[in-house]
Amino acid sequence: MQEETRGVTRWRRSAFLALPATVAIGAMATAMVQGALAANLSLTSVPFTLSSKTVAAPQGIGAVMHTVDAGGPKGAAEVGLAKAGLDGICVHAVQSVNLPVIGSLGTWSLNISSPAAATPLTSDQLVAGAGLQANKLVLDAQALKASTATLHASDGSPNVIGAAADSDGIKSTGITDGTPGQFGLDATGGRTDIKNLNADANAATISGAITLPDLAIGIAHGDKGC
């Protein structure tokens, strides 16, 4: 009898702690059923990290200076890719959970991931449609890093550092709110190849369809990544 009592107590405690996870996953599942995730993925308000092993953007990349509201106005880089193939992706957000009356439930992580291929995909394979495919991926990033980045261009279509933030090239990447006359990077003259992308972001949007092979959505207690 004592063993049964302990077992019941532990089950109740586990169910109680899992409540935020159940609510979050339920909300995400509802969004997927309604087509919201497939049509327009939008992450805002909660800072998160976005990482990918390899990114290939056949139409290049654009970037402008931007201001985001992250507990107060903060400068950020708005980075856009008109089309992107990614070899795996991990979106990792951490947030403290507090419930009325009950109080703090500690720190929880939400991870949205699509794993990289067992054999790393090349940029050519990603451009041809392999891996995760996204259209008009736009990030508001506090910091964006990569082990290597190659921004291809040509004499006829050069990359421009200091392009107007509202130029046609930058708009083509999905960035539509660049301030006229402000500083921008227009690297849409050729393909952009990025290795080991890691972005500390405040917002991400994908306009249009996104294909996520082997999608996994999970909740973890504490700060635990994909």
Side-chain angles (χ1 to χ4, degrees):
M1 291 296 294
Q2 289 180 347
E3 289 297 324
E4 291 180 2
T5 301
R6 283 198 299 269
V8 171
T9 300
R10 289 175 182 172
W11 182 88
R12 287 175 178 170
R13 182 182 302 146
S14 298
F16 173 74
L17 291 175
L19 179 60
T22 303
V23 173
I25 291 176
M28 185 67 73
T30 299
M32 292 173 66
V33 169
Q34 292 176 345
L37 184 61
N40 193 339
L41 173 62
S42 181
L43 304 168
T44 58
S45 301
V46 179
F48 61 93
T49 61
L50 183 149
S51 57
S52 182
K53 193 169 185 179
T54 304
V55 180
Q59 298 171 34
I61 190 171
V64 300
M65 291 188 291
H66 193 55
T67 300
V68 297
D69 186 5
K74 291 183 180 179
E78 189 173 14
V79 181
L81 298 91
K83 184 174 176 59
L86 302 92
D87 188 7
I89 192 173
C90 170
V91 176
H92 171 59
V94 180
Q95 190 169 23
S96 296
V97 177
N98 293 282
L99 297 179
V101 181
I102 296 172
S104 175
L105 294 183
T107 298
W108 291 79
S109 296
L110 169 63
N111 296 313
I112 304 171
S113 64
S114 181
T119 300
L121 297 173
T122 66
S123 294
D124 288 339
Q125 288 175 310
L126 292 170
V127 168
L132 184 161
Q133 297 293 313
N135 295 304
K136 293 191 176 178
L137 168 61
V138 179
L139 290 171
D140 281 339
Q142 299 274 296
L144 191 150
K145 300 178 181 178
S147 58
T148 61
T150 304
L151 283 61
H152 298 278
S154 65
D155 290 340
S157 300
N159 294 327
V160 181
I161 299 174
D166 63 334
S167 67
D168 290 340
I170 290 177
K171 286 181 179 178
S172 72
T173 67
I175 299 173
T176 58
D177 56 355
T179 303
Q182 291 270 333
F183 181 94
L185 167 66
D186 182 351
T188 59
R191 191 172 83 189
T192 293
D193 296 325
I194 301 172
K195 293 289 186 182
N196 298 315
L197 172 69
N198 193 292
D200 294 327
N202 294 99
T205 59
I206 297 174
S207 301
I210 175 173
T211 303
L212 292 162
D214 299 317
L215 171 67
I217 300 172
I219 297 287
H221 192 212
D223 187 352
K224 299 176 182 178
C226 301

